[in-house]
């Protein structure tokens, strides 16, 4: 279970075809399902800089071409896709209870070199929403944190019926559950089929999104692997998998900072820390 991220391959692990994930979802649809699927290749460099400590306290989800540290989250950015491979964020019952308002200021992240940067023009008339990976409503405990959530490094192309429906409901579940359990580690990520679609100047459209949750006080974890299509709150239960299942598909070792015995126990079976919607 321990990860040697520095020795992994040159980019984020990718799914090779839709059948692999469909098989995983079929095998793991029940709350007590066990993950399955082939191990995939990882990526290159470890995080650098400061400011990520709280969000990466249990280990970086994986290396990345560039890691960006924000007040409310940490981003592992992929230069090839112009989308984050993963975004990690640590929530508490206090932080999710603070609302700094909403100033909708989507903008390019100028910390990313210009050739690899997503821009507003890439999304214009694309038919896709600018979907948050770390949701604004979860990380708006300060005005700066709220503003940073609109950087395009924290955004992925999402279908409107995905972003505004089931995905928003899942984000709300995470906030409500954090209020109950006290603290939560969350990792949201993107996955792709071999046949990729793009918008604008090379911004790739994910074929799947995942979300991994760990409630450390309860020692419980659950993950969701969701095809990029319209879905609603009542569908969320269909996408429940174990953390191990996501690890098998991505090659990422989530929460590597846990001791091995706890990591094996927590990640083998999906154990939602709160009752799931749906």
């Amino acid at each position: 279970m321990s990860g040697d991220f520095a020795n992994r391959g040159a980019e984020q692990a990718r799914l090779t075809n839709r059948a692999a994930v469909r098989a995983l979802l079929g095998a793991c649809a029940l709350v007590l399902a066990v993950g399955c699927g082939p191990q995939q290749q990882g990526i290159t460099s470890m995080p650098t800089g400061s400011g990520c400590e709280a969000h990466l306290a249990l280990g970086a989800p994986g290396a990345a071409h560039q890691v960006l540290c924000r007040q409310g989250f940490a981003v592992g950015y992929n230069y090839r896709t112009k989308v984050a491979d993963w975004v990690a964020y640590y929530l508490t019952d206090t932080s999710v209870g603070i609302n700094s308002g909403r100033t909708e200021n989507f903008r390019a992240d100028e910390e990313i070199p210009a050739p690899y940067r997503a821009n507003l023009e890439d999304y214009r008339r694309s038919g896709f929403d600018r979907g948050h990976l770390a949701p604004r409503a979860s990380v708006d405990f300060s005005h700066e944190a709220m503003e940073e959530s609109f950087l395009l490094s924290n955004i992925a192309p999402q279908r409107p019926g995905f972003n505004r429906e089931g995905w928003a409901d899942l984000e709300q579940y995470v906030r409500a559950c954090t209020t109950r359990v006290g603290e939560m580690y969350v990792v949201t990520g993107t996955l792709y089929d071999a046949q990729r679609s793009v918008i604008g100047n090379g911004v790739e459209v994910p074929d799947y999104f995942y979300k991994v949750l760990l409630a450390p006080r309860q020692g419980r974890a659950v993950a969701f692997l969701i095809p990029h299509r319209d879905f609603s709150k009542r569908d969320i239960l269909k996408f429940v998998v174990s953390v191990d299942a996501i690890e098998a598909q991505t090659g990422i070792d989530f929460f590597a900072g846990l001791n091995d015995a706890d990591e094996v126990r927590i990640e083998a079976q999906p154990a939602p820390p709160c009752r799931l919607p749906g």
Side-chain angles (χ1 to χ4, degrees):
M1 299 287 289
S2 62
D4 184 1
F5 302 118
N7 292 328
R8 292 179 177 173
E11 66 179 74
Q12 182 206 18
R14 293 175 176 275
L15 300 178
T16 58
N17 53 61
R18 292 182 184 274
V21 177
R22 285 173 178 162
L24 173 63
L25 288 171
C28 303
L30 299 177
V31 174
L32 295 180
V34 179
C36 54
Q39 185 75 13
Q40 301 289 323
Q41 187 181 25
I43 46 180
T44 51
S45 61
M46 283 296 290
T48 58
S50 60
C52 290
E53 290 83 2
H55 308 300
L56 304 180
L58 294 181
H65 293 127
Q66 186 172 355
V67 172
L68 303 157
C69 297
R70 307 302 183 202
Q71 278 195 16
F73 53 92
V75 176
Y77 190 80
N78 189 311
Y79 287 167
R80 179 174 181 175
T81 64
K82 298 187 178 181
V83 175
D85 288 338
W86 52 263
V87 173
Y89 48 105
Y90 170 70
L91 304 176
T92 69
D93 52 350
T94 300
S95 69
V96 298
I98 300 172
N99 184 342
S100 297
R102 179 185 178 104
T103 302
E104 191 164 304
N105 183 22
F106 290 99
R107 62 200 186 280
D109 192 330
E110 296 187 354
E111 288 191 32
I112 298 170
Y116 311 117
R117 184 189 304 162
N119 292 287
L120 292 175
E121 292 77 13
D122 295 319
Y123 286 84
R124 190 166 291 126
R125 293 185 294 276
S126 69
F128 289 90
D129 283 358
R130 295 165 295 193
H132 284 74
L133 298 175
R136 185 274 311 170
S138 298
V139 300
D140 60 346
F141 53 84
S142 73
H143 183 78
E144 181 179 355
M146 181 274 296
E147 285 275 347
E148 288 176 340
S149 76
F150 287 94
L151 290 167
L152 292 184
S153 54
N154 181 46
I155 300 299
Q158 290 185 339
R159 298 180 184 278
F162 181 99
N163 178 46
R164 305 175 197 180
E165 300 295 335
W167 189 248
D169 291 326
L170 182 56
E171 292 170 339
Q172 176 56 37
Y173 164 78
V174 174
R175 289 190 291 273
C177 187
T178 301
T179 300
R180 291 187 58 186
V181 302
E183 58 181 335
M184 190 85 73
Y185 290 94
V186 185
V187 183
T188 299
T190 54
L191 293 168
Y192 302 83
D193 283 332
Q195 298 295 323
R196 304 167 195 162
S197 60
V198 300
I199 61 171
N201 185 25
V203 176
E204 295 196 13
V205 179
D207 292 290
Y208 304 88
F209 290 86
Y210 67 81
K211 196 176 288 290
V212 178
L213 313 179
L214 170 64
R217 299 181 192 178
Q218 290 71 30
R220 298 176 70 86
V222 67
F224 305 86
L225 179 59
I226 307 174
H228 188 189
R229 57 175 173 78
D230 294 0
F231 78 106
S232 66
K233 181 188 293 188
R234 64 177 177 272
D235 297 318
I236 290 174
L237 283 172
K238 301 175 185 177
F239 305 127
V240 172
V241 297
S242 66
V243 178
D244 279 350
I246 304 296
E247 290 185 337
Q249 291 296 328
T250 62
I252 291 175
D253 182 18
F254 296 98
F255 313 128
L258 296 171
N259 70 62
D260 287 344
D262 285 342
E263 189 178 3
V264 169
R265 173 181 57 81
I266 289 170
E267 296 184 356
Q269 303 287 344
C274 303
R275 183 181 177 87
L276 291 171

